[in-house]
Structure formats: structure tokens, C-alpha cells
Amino acid sequence: ETGVTQSPTHLIKTRGQQVTLRCSSQSGHNTVSWYQQALGQGPQFIFQYYREEENGRGNFPPRFSGLQFPNYSSELNVNALELDDSALYLCASSLKGTTAGELFFGEGSRLTVL
Amino acid sequence: SQQGEEDPQALSIQEGENATMNCSYKTSINNLQWYRQNSGRGLVHLILIRSNEREKHSGRLRVTLDTSKKSSSLLITASRAADTASYFCATLGAGSYQLTFGKGTKLSVIP
């Protein structure tokens, strides 16, 4: 148990719809990172939030957006869903200011786009 | 894009045997980490090795790092059926804020 919780665990959407995924970070952690993991692949970095600001972004289009709240919880929003967005979305929390960069992952939200 | 590449992609061994997985990466790193993922679940951090370290142990795990070859290996000794999972290496680039993962090695331990 990492203390990172994600919701919902599973959801099904259709092409063109929008989705919001939520993450509560581990107590004391101020940084949240989001990853997309397609079937059979490793996690791909989407973006990271620190103190409510986007702190870095991977190679994902602007229709992937996020928020971080004062309590360090976070949301991932995806607009205009495409079939290729079907994946496991992983949230990970960490403590910025340490050099290790160890991430603590939630169990993920599995999104299926039909 | 994937920074690390694990080898082999899949590995099947008998319980009690040792399992070795390798990881190669492309750019300078601050540290390299290994994670484990049970089927369709979240990733669990196993061990971290810094760029100035060559070997590290944690229980049945042994990790080596060769920065001149840009490669690392993870050894799991005396494997158990419960070790069946996918194993990923992840690199933290020098001056970077993001972990970059490889595609993983799928380990099956047969009782």
C-alpha cells in the first residue's frame, strides 16, 4: 500500500467524449506525476504537477490537461477521446526537493475508449 | 519515448532459480530505479541505485550499474512463485524531473 488512491478504477467512454481521472497523493508528498501505460508497454510520462503548477510535460497533446489542488490531490482531464487513449493511467506522488525521485504509484484507472 | 530497454522481454524459470534482467539506457542519469508490476496493477518501487554506485543489495535483490556501458542488471535470487510479475527499469536523467521507463521484462516463476 503506497497511500496513493485513484478513481475510478475502470471506466468506458466513447470516442469524442471527455474524461476526468482523480488522484490523492501520499501524505506529505507535494508532487504528482501522471503516466499512461498502453497494454504491453512501459509507462509513458504525461506531466508532473508541483505546488499547483505544471512542472514538466511529456509528448502528449494539449487535450491532456491536469490540475493539482492545495491539498496536493490531482486530476487528469482528457478531451476529445480517441481509441488510442485506451490505457491504464497511473498517478504517482513524490516529495520534491529530494534527489532520489522515487515514485509511489496508485493502482491506476483503466480507461477503455470505444 | 522509452529511455530504457529491458532484456529479455519475457523470462520463465523454475522456483528456486535465480532470475536476471538487464536494462540499457541512452543518456546520462542521476539514478536508475527498478519497479515491479503485478498484472494490471500499480507499480511498486524495488530498489534505487545512484550514478556513482556500482552495486546495491536489498533482500533477495541485487542491482548493478555500469555507467560506461549505460546498462544495469537486476538479479532476483531463489525466486518464488510470488515473484511472477513485470519488472521495469526507470531512469532519472541528470537535472531531470521525470522518470523514464523501459518496456519491461515479464517474469514467470513456475512452482
Side-chain angles (χ1 to χ4, degrees), chain A residues 7-59:
Chain A
S7 63
T9 54
H10 295 81
L11 69 166
I12 300 173
K13 294 285 188 177
T14 56
R15 270 189 310 177
Q17 285 189 313
Q18 178 265 343
V19 67
T20 297
L21 308 177
R22 296 178 175 83
C23 172
S24 293
S25 58
Q26 181 166 309
S27 177
H29 284 180
N30 55 17
T31 302
V32 174
S33 303
W34 285 91
Y35 285 80
Q36 179 197 66
Q37 186 178 23
L39 200 62
Q41 300 294 313
Q44 296 269 1
F45 177 74
I46 303 175
F47 43 55
Q48 183 183 86
Y49 277 82
Y50 170 63
R51 289 186 175 177
E52 303 176 53
E53 297 283 335
E54 187 179 290
N55 189 47
R57 189 177 185 94
N59 189 27

Side-chain angles (χ1 to χ4, degrees), chain A residues 2 35 37 40-45 48 55-58 88 90 96 99-103 105-108 110, chain B residues 1-2 30-31 33 35 37 39-46 48 50 88 92 97-104:
Chain A
T2 62
Y35 285 80
Q37 186 178 23
Q41 300 294 313
Q44 296 269 1
F45 177 74
Q48 183 183 86
N55 189 47
R57 189 177 185 94
L88 181 67
L90 294 161
K96 195 170 182 70
T99 58
E102 175 186 350
L103 297 180
F105 283 87
E107 294 294 330
R110 183 163 297 282
Chain B
S1 62
Q2 310 278 172
N30 179 302
N31 65 57
Q33 304 177 32
Y35 286 79
Q37 184 179 38
S39 181
R41 305 287 300 276
L43 281 78
V44 176
H45 180 265
L46 294 175
L48 178 153
R50 301 185 189 280
F88 295 89
L92 184 68
Y97 48 79
Q98 69 174 84
L99 272 183
T100 305
F101 287 82
K103 294 184 179 180

Side-chain angles (χ1 to χ4, degrees), chain B residues 47-49 53-58 61-64:
Chain B
I47 194 165
L48 178 153
I49 187 164
E53 296 175 315
R54 292 296 167 259
E55 186 171 314
K56 204 159 184 182
H57 296 253
S58 176
L61 305 180
R62 172 180 169 253
V63 170
T64 62

